[in-house]
Amino acid sequence: KRQLFFLGAGLDALVDDMMVVAKARIAIPTTGTYTFGVNADDGFALRIVGANAFRRISGTADAAIDASQPNTIYRTGGTASVRAVIDLQAGEYEVHFAFYERGGTAGFELFSAAGDLTNEADSTAWRVVGHASSGGLALVRQYVPPATPPVVSDFTINPATGAFSFS
């Protein structure tokens, strides 16, 4: 029901020191509590623009809710399995997701389920965000790339604050 997006599988030399940045709008069908999950190797950041603060986080111990932007969760490296609970009103939200790979195999997945969930085993309703045909939260708008693609030369996450930036 969920599918991991993996890079690597013998291609390690091609995936070290890289990042993925995604931006989309999702549709929240019903007001309520949702849990977002991220499995990532190496680090990631997830922000739900226009949302209130994530209420709590579980999973990999050093993952965190950003103190200065509490609608953001992050982890700065290594394999992670994180779930974060947030209350959302029905409607559309812009989602920002950043993933980076420092070395070795690489992969990430962003999934969600309705409810306040602590562990992946707590529900069979987890679905990949954007995979509406399997019951996942729908993407509202297809991304249209700019005429001149942006170039990212640097990505930083402040481990003390969780703030992340690209340049």
Side-chain angles (χ1 to χ4, degrees), residues 44-121:
F44 74 88
L46 169 67
R47 177 175 296 139
I48 302 177
V49 178
N52 292 322
F54 280 98
R55 287 196 285 134
R56 67 178 182 81
I57 196 165
S58 62
T60 306
D62 59 350
I65 298 170
D66 186 332
S68 64
Q69 296 182 335
N71 61 340
T72 302
I73 61 171
Y74 68 95
R75 179 148 192 280
T76 57
T79 302
S81 180
V82 176
R83 275 102 24 228
V85 177
I86 192 166
D87 296 318
L88 296 171
Q89 298 294 314
E92 295 181 10
Y93 293 85
E94 189 169 300
V95 174
H96 300 172
F97 181 79
F99 159 80
Y100 73 90
E101 171 57 28
R102 179 64 186 110
T105 57
F108 66 87
E109 110 183 292
L110 173 60
F111 51 99
S112 67
D116 183 335
L117 306 167
T118 300
N119 302 299
E120 287 187 40

Side-chain angles (χ1 to χ4, degrees), residues 14 42 45 75 94 100 124 127:
L14 301 176
D42 283 326
R75 179 148 192 280
E94 189 169 300
Y100 73 90
T124 59
R127 297 295 182 267

